[in-house]
Amino acid sequence: MRIVIAEDNVLLREGLILLLEDVGHEIVAVVGSGPEVVPTLLEHRPDAAVLDVRLPPGFRDEGLRAAIEARRLMPGLPILVLSQYVEESYAAELLGQGASGVGYLLKDRVSRIEEFQQALERVAAGGTALDPDVVSQLMTRRDPLDALSPREREVLGLMAQGLDNPTIATTLFITERSVSKHIGNILAKLNLPPSDSGHRRVLAVLAYLKA
């Protein structure tokens, strides 16, 4: 996989490079400021990009703005955004363009190497990877979710992270049939249209969470 990294923290940047190259990915470019991101992505057309939310010169939301602009210019470009803290408005704004090929992880998740690699691969394949802490905060602020049972909320949270039915079943120690039943109940209670596509199902739930 060809990857562009945008990260101003030298230690984290070098760690990302070593981690990704060690598993066979190619780092085609590395930048350390917001204004460099979009031109670099347009030049290299990578398979995926890993971007810090806050980059120089302002250390506010330069990385996020670059991600949104890049996806406008290159629809479907897989982007995994890293943030130091849970910043709900940033997550919601990024998801507002559509959840396909989008990830939002806290930086401490990078140290969990296998989890980080799985998230990046999921995003590159057009899936979704939301940090569990981000999902939790989004869910706790959505009153309509009160209609869901505790188990249904657990299933919804795992769905929003981009997990498939077998993985949800394994995580919660229940059968896949039970997972399917819970998902049907969730879609019904949230007035979300049923779908034969698991990917569209996840997008529907994420659309609801950011609404």
Side-chain angles (χ1 to χ4, degrees), residues 58-132:
F59 293 99
R60 293 187 297 273
D61 59 0
E62 288 82 357
L64 174 73
R65 296 299 169 195
I68 292 173
E69 176 66 7
R71 289 198 29 119
R72 185 184 70 81
L73 297 172
M74 292 175 283
L77 172 67
I79 293 181
L80 179 60
V81 171
L82 303 179
S83 179
Q84 189 68 42
Y85 310 104
V86 177
E87 300 175 273
E88 296 173 45
S89 60
Y90 290 166
E93 187 161 2
L94 186 62
L95 290 171
Q97 288 196 323
S100 177
V102 170
Y104 187 106
L105 295 182
L106 297 183
K107 287 187 175 181
D108 64 4
R109 203 71 60 182
V110 176
S111 63
R112 304 174 191 181
I113 297 175
E114 184 175 355
E115 187 175 341
F116 171 72
Q117 291 175 351
Q118 291 175 347
L120 179 59
E121 290 171 3
R122 192 182 308 141
V123 168
T128 304
L130 283 184
D131 195 287

